[in-house]
Amino acid sequence: MPPPRSVDLLLALQGGGAHGAFTWGVIDRLLEEPSIGIEAISATSSGAVNAVAMAHGWIEGGREGARAHLARIWQRIGEKGALASWGFAPSVSGAWLDELARHFTPAQFNPLGLNPLADLLDELIDFDRLRAMRPFRLHLAATRVRDGALVLFGGDQVTRDAVLASTCLPQLFHAVEIEGEAFWDGGYAGNPALAPLFYEARAPDLLCILVQPLQRPRLPASPREIEERAMDFAFSATFLRELESLAKSQRLIRGKLASTALGRRLQSLRLHLIEPGASLADAGVNAKLDTRPAMLRGLWSLGRERADEWLIAHGSALGHRATYSIPAN
């Protein structure tokens, strides 16, 4: 059931290629609840696409505008077909492109630096208006290539290039240059990054929307499954460390520290989490490249289903208590 009174959320949106359509479904369902507002969003990769689409639509028409614009941008992504065909021949499969990327750099097999997401963003997002009106705060994560550092683009730095940097898979696309620095996909450094929501926001309810489950009981068997599981670990490691850091900080805050502004902030945080569950637990890299309309619509439906289940089970807890406890090691 929805929260009994109005509550603002902090959203942390994980990236994961086409699986970002799952996040679209979750957000679409949450936006149907008029008692749920948004203060700030930290987002990575496809999560960043969802964040700017949602913010743009909110400016145009509030929560219904946000829902409509999210649907619009994912429809356009679906019209492109498989991500593998975006800058290449339509017959190129995700598996073939994945194999190609193992032996050639983007400069070799994509010498023109094609990235159709740039055209979609130019078509569908008015970044000047987005920066001027800012319906909520955005933090878009990218990875600085020279040292692997997490860089968060917010405020006046929310640009088309910031989104392209956050979504830049180095196996497929040229690094995105911003003010003389090269950037890759934000998932390497923060997927999603939680620090700005810990320290730069006010609302205590933080909802993490993941596109890959935190646990996968099945042991990977084939070389490809092992490789993909290791890649998933790499893309979720910083997120898990931030969760563990928050849990330790909340346990250690005592006495005088609990009376400080930072201590009170960390103690007040209420963590919530929505994830896809077993249905995406064993989805491989190729599935994350599959942007066919039927696949995206299925992920959207799954996201709405998981969000609805979560609201029924935990909606009344918003504004009152956490619904996710960080497991102790």
Side-chain angles (χ1 to χ4, degrees), residues 138-189:
L138 297 177
H139 306 276
L140 310 181
T143 303
R144 192 165 59 202
V145 177
R146 66 177 169 87
D147 59 2
L150 170 69
V151 175
L152 293 165
F153 295 100
D156 290 338
Q157 297 176 313
V158 176
T159 63
R160 181 195 72 162
D161 284 351
V163 179
L164 293 178
S166 187
T167 61
C168 179
L169 291 173
Q171 300 89 345
L172 302 181
F173 303 113
H174 295 226
V176 176
E177 186 171 313
I178 300 175
E179 296 183 356
E181 292 280 4
F183 293 95
W184 283 345
D185 191 290
Y188 296 107

Side-chain angles (χ1 to χ4, degrees), residues 77-138:
I77 290 172
E79 288 170 358
K80 294 287 184 179
L83 181 61
S85 69
W86 278 26
F88 311 93
S91 60
V92 174
S93 69
W96 190 88
L97 186 61
D98 181 49
E99 187 63 29
L100 187 68
R102 295 169 185 266
H103 302 286
F104 299 94
T105 68
Q108 292 172 312
F109 70 79
N110 184 14
L112 298 179
L114 297 174
N115 189 337
L117 180 59
D119 294 333
L120 286 182
L121 293 173
D122 286 340
E123 174 190 346
L124 296 172
I125 307 295
D126 184 341
F127 283 96
D128 289 335
R129 191 179 182 198
L130 190 59
R131 290 189 296 272
M133 301 185 72
R134 301 182 192 179
F136 27 75
R137 295 165 69 179
L138 297 177

Side-chain angles (χ1 to χ4, degrees), residues 176-240:
V176 176
E177 186 171 313
I178 300 175
E179 296 183 356
E181 292 280 4
F183 293 95
W184 283 345
D185 191 290
Y188 296 107
N191 194 22
L194 300 181
L197 304 180
F198 290 169
Y199 305 117
E200 300 178 30
R202 295 181 181 179
D205 287 275
L206 195 168
L207 173 60
C208 302
I209 303 176
L210 308 185
V211 298
Q212 56 188 42
L214 289 177
Q215 297 188 24
R216 301 170 183 79
R218 192 177 71 83
L219 185 69
S222 71
R224 173 56 63 87
E225 289 175 341
I226 294 170
E227 180 184 7
E228 291 180 350
R229 181 71 62 86
M231 186 181 301
D232 285 345
F233 288 159
F235 270 80
S236 61
T238 54
F239 170 70
L240 293 174

Side-chain angles (χ1 to χ4, degrees), residues 21-38:
F22 171 83
T23 301
W24 163 36
V26 172
I27 295 172
D28 187 61
R29 177 64 186 88
L30 294 177
L31 288 172
E32 291 181 342
E33 299 297 335
S35 57
I36 295 177
I38 309 296

Side-chain angles (χ1 to χ4, degrees), residues 37-69:
I38 309 296
E39 181 192 342
I41 303 176
S42 179
T44 299
S45 198
S46 58
V49 175
N50 279 319
V52 297
M54 180 181 174
H56 177 102
W58 196 289
I59 293 170
E60 290 190 329
R63 62 184 63 246
E64 288 305 315
R67 294 183 66 205
H69 208 68

